[in-house]
């Protein structure tokens, strides 16, 4: 009946437009209506069952074919190994012409294996020399066993005589595997050993059993699939659909979604667990949404207040976020950069350097990159670190994080430090070399020198030793000033320090015919400072002034309050209203050291406070360490001030600085001095570079 119906359907499908009888058309319509009456789930279940059945049928078919193929391969391997084994035993005997021994070995193989169908030995021309089975025994080998028939060898054997050839053919008694093994002895071709092997009956029985078991397993799986499909349709499909719907609702942010299906067992626990999870998510969402927003604000604030520049890009290399530091470094203030290509917004030189690493990061060639470059005028040294940002799995690229560090100050300070070390080494080498040269001369040629020459050499060595001591002391003083150690400040009357300095240089000034003068009001207020350090300042500045002054010149020390203190008068002369001193800013004591010496050129004034810089000219050349004015500047900055100068060649030079009064706050003074020191270090680094 089923075959008839299938044929009728096929005929109707082929002849539906060719005027077929109406009853066939109506029959097809009834089938179509019957199929349309089923629900989509039933249709999918039927199609799924059919597909699974076809898949299992295909799997079973390939499995059985594999079993049969494996059985055939096993027979082939067995036959080939048997032929190689027999060939290995008889090849030497055939080569030595021991035909009787060959027959004995072949007969033993024949009797030891039930699967051997025949054994043939041929000479190189293909004539059979020995064959089994035969009716004769080895004793009659020369008459009955020597056959005159020729064996037709396969053509493949002549092409590859060094390899055995295996093939199969069917006989009325079953399949036979033929093995042809060339016999080679010391490179000589002796003939061919041919064996016929029948399949192993036990192996065939095992293959048949495996085939039956496979078919049974296929049927069992097919039945289980049908039962599972029915069970799924009756008990699992609807709860699972509702659970999927609820999960989708939760994923969209609707935490009010619930599943109201009365179920027991594990599915019931699953649905109840989903409802409980949804309730907890709803409570968590209501309670922590403000915390999440606050955390987001904190994160944005942290990025905004970072000392380093931060830029975040998406997976296409477009800007998503830029913090204020990065805007300041690249001068992007007030610009809307979101959605712009980063490389298009950078300076051309920097964009060219970053193009290759950004491209490599976006194409997943590398994970990070570290670049240093200089941009701008004056040049700034930037360190730019690029890091890929990936999802939790580490596979999908979400964007790039760019960190920009301004290393300008560090680079400048490192260069200044290297310059300082180089200068110290150079300054130390010169006096040491001179001392060694004169002392070595005295040691080697002392008996050949006059007393005057010895005194001269010792005088030079002594002077160079003093120079070396001054240099070491100046370096130590400068190191103390830059070490950041705190300095003790106290109330000081500055006049005694200035008078003591002039007394120290009185004889030197008299020798050079230079007039020393002090201009300072006796009622000047006390200052807040360090006596020893200020005495060192006056000693350096007065010593330099005398050093570069001509005969008949003048050196003057002055001190006065700055700015002037103005006292407010009463509003009306008839009223005695209280009044106070108007001071803005807080007054300080200004100190000036002026001379009428050679003066300093404008070019030298730009570098006069650098370490180891000395002013040399054609008129006067004075030896020195070149650290004196650097030490003076450091001391004045420790007192919260700045030393300045004005000079004209052939007219003279004036240095001045301000010192805090006694009522100044010591802590504020320390902070101010530290700020001055940092600015000076940065300025010196720039000048030395």
């Amino acid at each position: 009946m089923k075959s008839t119906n299938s044929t009728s359907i096929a005929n109707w499908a082929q002849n539906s437009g060719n005027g077929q009888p109406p009853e066939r058309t109506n029959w097809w319509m009834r089938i179509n209506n019957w199929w349309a009456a089923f629900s989509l789930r039933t249709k999918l279940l039927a199609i799924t069952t059919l597909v699974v059945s076809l898949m299992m049928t295909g799997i079973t078919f390939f499995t059985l074919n594999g079993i049969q193929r494996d059985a055939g391969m096993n027979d082939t391997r067995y036959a080939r190994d048997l032929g190689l084994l027999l060939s290995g035993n008889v090849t030497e005997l055939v080569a030595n012409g021991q035909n009787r021994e060959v027959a004995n070995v072949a007969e033993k193989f024949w009797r030891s294996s039930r699967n051997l169908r025949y054994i043939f030995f041929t000479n190189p021309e293909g004539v059979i020399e020995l064959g089994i089975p035969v009716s004769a025994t080895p004793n009659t080998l020369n008459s009955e066993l020597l056959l005159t028939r020729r064996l037709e060898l396969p053509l493949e054997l002549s092409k590859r005589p060094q390899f055995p050839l295996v093939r199969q053919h069917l006989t009325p008694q079953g399949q036979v595997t033929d093995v042809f093994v060339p016999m080679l002895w010391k490179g000589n071709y002796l003939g061919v050993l041919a064996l016929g092997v029948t399949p192993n009956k036990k192996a065939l029985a095992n293959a048949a059993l495996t085939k039956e078991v496979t078919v049974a397993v296929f049927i069992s799986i097919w039945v289980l699939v049908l039962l599972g499909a029915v069970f799924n349709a009756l008990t699992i499909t609807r709860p699972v659909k509702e659970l999927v719907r609820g999960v989708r609702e939760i994923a969209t942010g609707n935490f009010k979604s619930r599943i109201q299906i009365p179920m027991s067992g594990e599915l019931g626990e699953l649905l109840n667990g989903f409802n409980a999870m949804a309730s907890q998510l709803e409570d968590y969402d209501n309670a922590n949404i403000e915390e999440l927003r606050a955390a987001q604000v904190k994160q944005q604030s942290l990025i905004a207040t970072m000392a380093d520049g931060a830029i975040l890009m998406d997976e296409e290399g477009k800007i998503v976020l830029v913090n204020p530091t990065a805007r300041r470094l690249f001068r992007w203030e007030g610009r809307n950069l979101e959605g712009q290509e980063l490389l298009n917004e950078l300076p051309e030189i920097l964009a060219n350097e970053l193009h290759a690493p950004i491209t490599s990061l976006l194409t997943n060639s590398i994970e990070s990159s570290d670049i240093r470059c200089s941009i701008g005028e004056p040049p700034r040294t930037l360190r730019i670190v690029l890091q890929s940002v990936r999802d939790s799995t580490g596979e999908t690229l979400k964007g790039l994080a760019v960190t920009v560090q301004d290393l300008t100050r560090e680079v400048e300070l490192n260069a200044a430090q290297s310059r300082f070390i180089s200068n110290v080494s150079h300054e130390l080498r010169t006096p040491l070399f001179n001392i060694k040269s004169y002392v070595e001369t005295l040691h080697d040629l002392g008996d050949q020198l006059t007393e005057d020459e010895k005194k001269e050499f010792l005088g030079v060595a002594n002077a160079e030793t003093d120079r070396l001591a001054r240099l070491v002391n100046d370096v130590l003083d400068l190191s103390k000033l830059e070490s950041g150690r705190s300095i003790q400040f106290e109330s000081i009357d500055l006049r005694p320090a200035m008078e003591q300095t002039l007394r120290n240089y009185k004889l030197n000034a008299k020798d050079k015919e230079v007039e020393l003068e002090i201009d300072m009001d006796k009622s000047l207020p006390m200052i807040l400072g360090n006596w020893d350090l200020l005495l060192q300042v006056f000693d350096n500045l007065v010593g330099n002034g005398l050093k570069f002054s001509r005969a008949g010149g003048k050196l003057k020390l002055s001190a006065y309050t700055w700015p002037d203190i103005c006292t407010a008068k009463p509003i009306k002369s008839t009223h005695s209203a209280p009044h106070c001193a108007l001071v803005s800013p807080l007054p300080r004591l200004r100190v000036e050291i002026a001379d009428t010496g050679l003066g300093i050129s404008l070019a030298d004034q730009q570098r006069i406070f650098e370490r180891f810089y000395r002013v040399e000219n054609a008129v006067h050349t004075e030896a020195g360490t070149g650290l004196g004015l650097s030490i003076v500047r450091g001391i004045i900055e420790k007192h919260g001030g700045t030393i300045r100068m004005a000079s004209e060649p052939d007219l003279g030079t004036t240095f001045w600085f301000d010192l805090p009064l006694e009522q100044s706050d010591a802590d504020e003074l320390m902070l101010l001095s530290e700020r001055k020191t940092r600015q000076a270090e940065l300025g010196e680094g720039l000048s030395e570079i």
Side-chain angles (χ1 to χ4, degrees):
M1 179 63 181
K2 182 176 180 180
S3 177
T4 305
N5 292 340
S6 301
T7 305
S8 300
I9 294 173
N11 292 335
W12 181 88
Q14 295 177 358
N15 303 312
S16 57
N18 298 329
Q20 294 298 318
E23 57 274 11
R24 293 187 178 180
T25 303
N26 294 334
W27 184 79
W28 176 254
M29 291 294 294
R30 286 195 298 270
I31 294 178
N32 190 26
N33 294 334
W34 171 77
W35 175 252
F38 291 103
S39 64
L40 178 61
R41 185 179 65 183
T42 305
K43 292 179 181 179
L44 292 176
L45 181 61
I47 294 174
T48 302
T49 304
L50 179 60
V51 171
V52 171
S53 300
L54 293 176
M55 291 177 59
M56 295 306 301
T57 302
I59 292 173
T60 304
F61 174 76
F62 285 114
T63 302
L64 295 178
N65 279 346
I67 293 172
Q68 293 178 354
R69 185 170 58 254
D70 290 342
M73 291 180 63
N74 290 335
D75 290 339
T76 301
R77 293 192 192 99
Y78 172 74
R80 183 190 62 187
D81 295 343
L82 191 63
L84 292 174
L85 180 62
L86 180 57
S87 173
N89 283 277
V90 302
T91 300
E92 184 178 1
L93 300 176
V94 173
N96 296 330
Q98 300 175 355
N99 294 336
R100 184 173 300 278
E101 285 76 4
V102 170
N104 290 334
V105 172
E107 185 178 5
K108 289 180 181 179
F109 264 81
W110 172 265
R111 293 179 178 179
S112 63
S113 177
R114 298 181 179 180
N115 298 328
L116 276 176
R117 188 71 174 269
Y118 62 85
I119 300 176
F120 292 143
F121 291 91
T122 69
N123 59 17
E125 288 76 21
V127 177
I128 298 175
E129 299 288 345
L130 175 64
I132 297 178
V134 293
S135 57
T137 64
N139 296 326
T140 59
L141 181 64
N142 293 330
S143 58
E144 287 86 6
L145 293 181
L146 294 178
L147 305 177
T148 58
R149 297 177 60 185
R150 179 182 297 274
L151 184 64
E152 292 293 334
L153 299 176
L155 296 177
E156 293 85 347
L157 192 63
S158 61
K159 297 178 181 179
R160 299 189 304 172
Q162 69 273 24
F163 299 108
L165 178 65
V166 180
R167 65 182 184 181
Q168 295 177 336
H169 71 278
L170 290 175
T171 65
Q173 289 77 25
Q175 181 174 281
V176 177
T177 301
D178 302 313
V179 182
F180 301 92
V181 183
M183 291 185 294
L184 300 174
W185 180 254
K186 296 182 180 181
N188 297 322
Y189 178 62
L190 304 178
V192 175
L193 167 63
L195 281 81
V197 183
T198 58
N200 192 327
K201 295 182 179 180
K202 185 178 293 185
L204 292 177
N206 291 336
L209 178 60
T210 303
K211 179 177 180 181
E212 293 174 357
V213 171
T214 303
V215 172
V217 170
F218 162 71
I219 296 174
S220 302
I221 292 176
W222 190 81
V223 172
L224 290 175
V225 168
L226 290 179
L227 294 177
V230 173
F231 178 77
N232 174 70
L234 296 178
T235 61
I236 300 177
T237 303
R238 181 166 175 261
V240 170
K241 286 183 177 180
E242 289 296 321
L243 185 61
V244 171
R245 181 192 60 79
V247 170
R248 289 175 180 172
E249 292 288 334
I250 294 294
T252 58
N254 181 18
F255 300 128
K256 299 183 181 296
S257 177
R258 302 291 186 273
I259 300 176
Q260 304 298 336
I261 298 179
M263 290 288 295
S264 59
E266 295 179 351
L267 275 177
E269 293 180 4
L270 180 62
L271 298 181
N272 293 334
F274 173 83
N275 292 334
M277 179 193 68
S279 300
Q280 292 178 1
L281 288 175
E282 184 178 7
D283 296 340
Y284 178 81
D285 182 64
N286 295 333
N288 296 291
I289 188 169
E290 292 301 327
E291 282 188 25
L292 293 175
R293 291 177 180 174
Q296 185 178 8
V297 171
K298 290 180 181 179
Q299 185 178 12
Q300 292 177 351
S301 301
L302 179 62
I303 296 175
T305 56
M306 285 176 57
D308 298 333
I311 304 173
L312 184 62
M313 296 187 294
D314 59 15
E315 64 276 8
E316 297 179 357
K318 295 182 179 179
I319 298 174
V320 176
L321 177 66
V322 181
N323 74 340
T325 305
R327 290 181 179 273
R328 176 179 55 80
L329 289 174
F330 296 116
R331 297 182 175 87
W332 289 340
E333 294 89 344
R335 296 180 55 188
N336 183 17
L337 299 171
E338 283 71 15
Q340 302 298 322
E341 294 281 350
L342 176 63
L343 295 177
N344 296 336
E345 303 298 329
L346 295 173
E348 183 177 357
I349 297 177
L350 183 57
N352 292 336
E353 291 192 27
L354 293 180
H355 181 271
I358 289 179
T359 302
S360 300
L361 285 166
L362 293 177
T363 56
N364 297 321
S365 299
I366 58 176
E367 289 295 323
S368 62
S369 180
D370 194 331
I371 299 173
R372 291 197 181 195
C373 58
S374 297
I375 62 171
E377 188 62 38
R380 291 177 300 154
T381 302
L382 301 180
R383 179 192 180 197
I384 302 177
V385 180
L386 299 99
Q387 179 66 48
S388 59
V389 179
R390 301 185 177 276
D391 58 6
S392 58
T393 63
E395 297 179 355
T396 305
L397 181 67
K398 293 296 184 180
L400 301 180
V402 183
T403 304
V404 185
Q405 296 177 335
D406 191 349
L407 303 180
T408 304
R409 185 170 182 271
E410 287 79 357
V411 171
E412 291 166 351
L413 292 179
N414 289 338
Q417 182 181 11
S418 300
R419 179 71 176 273
F420 176 76
I421 295 173
S422 175
N423 289 337
V424 169
S425 302
H426 175 74
E427 295 296 334
L428 289 174
R429 181 174 56 187
T430 301
L432 286 174
F433 177 77
N434 291 336
I435 293 171
K436 177 176 174 58
S437 298
Y438 282 97
V439 172
E440 187 177 359
T441 303
L442 286 172
H443 179 271
D444 296 339
L445 304 175
D447 54 348
Q448 303 177 18
L449 299 175
T450 65
E451 290 298 324
D452 293 338
E453 290 175 334
K454 292 179 181 180
K455 289 182 180 181
E456 180 185 356
F457 284 11
L458 289 175
V460 173
N462 185 53
E464 291 296 329
T465 303
D466 292 339
R467 178 184 173 189
L468 185 61
R470 289 196 303 272
L471 177 61
V472 172
N473 290 333
D474 287 346
V475 171
L476 291 176
D477 291 340
L478 192 60
S479 176
K480 290 178 183 178
L481 291 173
E482 295 180 350
S483 64
R485 289 182 294 184
S486 61
I487 298 176
Q488 296 298 325
F489 295 101
E490 57 185 359
S491 298
I492 298 174
D493 185 0
L494 199 60
R495 187 179 184 88
M498 299 171 70
E499 292 175 345
Q500 179 179 336
T501 302
L502 293 183
R503 284 195 301 270
N504 293 340
Y505 284 97
K506 186 175 181 179
L507 293 177
N508 190 8
K510 185 177 180 180
D511 292 339
K512 298 195 68 171
E513 299 179 0
V514 175
E515 180 185 355
L516 300 179
E517 181 182 346
I518 184 170
D519 181 11
M520 182 177 182
D521 192 351
K522 293 182 179 180
S523 62
L524 284 177
M526 305 280 282
I527 67 163
L528 190 65
N530 185 284
W531 173 270
D532 294 330
L533 293 180
L534 291 177
L535 204 60
Q536 189 174 359
V537 169
F538 292 132
D539 184 75
N540 264 294
L541 293 178
V542 173
N544 283 341
L546 286 175
K547 187 187 300 182
F548 292 96
S549 293
R550 301 186 184 92
K554 183 179 181 179
L555 191 148
K556 180 180 179 180
L557 274 70
S558 305
Y560 53 90
T561 56
W562 180 266
D564 294 334
I565 298 178
C566 300
T567 303
K569 296 181 179 180
I571 298 175
K572 292 183 179 180
S573 59
T574 57
H575 295 168
S576 59
H579 61 277
C580 61
L582 297 180
V583 180
S584 180
L586 185 67
R588 301 168 71 85
L589 188 68
R590 173 160 293 184
V591 180
E592 294 181 358
I593 298 92
D595 64 68
T596 58
L598 298 175
I600 303 173
S601 66
L602 183 61
D604 289 330
Q605 291 179 35
Q606 303 297 324
R607 303 184 59 190
I608 194 67
F609 292 105
E610 293 181 13
R611 301 164 183 163
F612 299 103
Y613 185 78
R614 292 191 293 267
V615 177
E616 309 289 350
N617 52 52
V619 178
H620 188 80
T621 307
E622 290 286 350
T625 63
L627 292 175
L629 289 180
S630 295
I631 295 174
V632 169
R633 183 185 64 178
I635 294 174
I636 298 303
E637 287 171 351
K638 288 293 183 180
H639 285 75
T642 302
I643 187 168
R644 296 179 175 86
M645 66 169 296
S647 182
E648 287 291 337
D650 299 326
L651 292 180
T653 304
T654 299
F655 289 91
W656 74 89
F657 53 88
D658 298 332
L659 296 174
L661 297 184
E662 183 181 12
Q663 60 266 37
S664 300
D665 184 77
D667 293 336
E668 181 181 355
L669 181 61
M670 289 297 298
L671 293 175
L672 184 59
S673 68
E674 291 177 2
R675 188 181 304 115
K676 294 285 186 181
T677 302
R678 288 195 298 268
Q679 293 174 352
E681 289 176 353
L682 181 57
E684 184 172 342
L686 285 170
S687 62
E688 290 188 358
I689 290 174

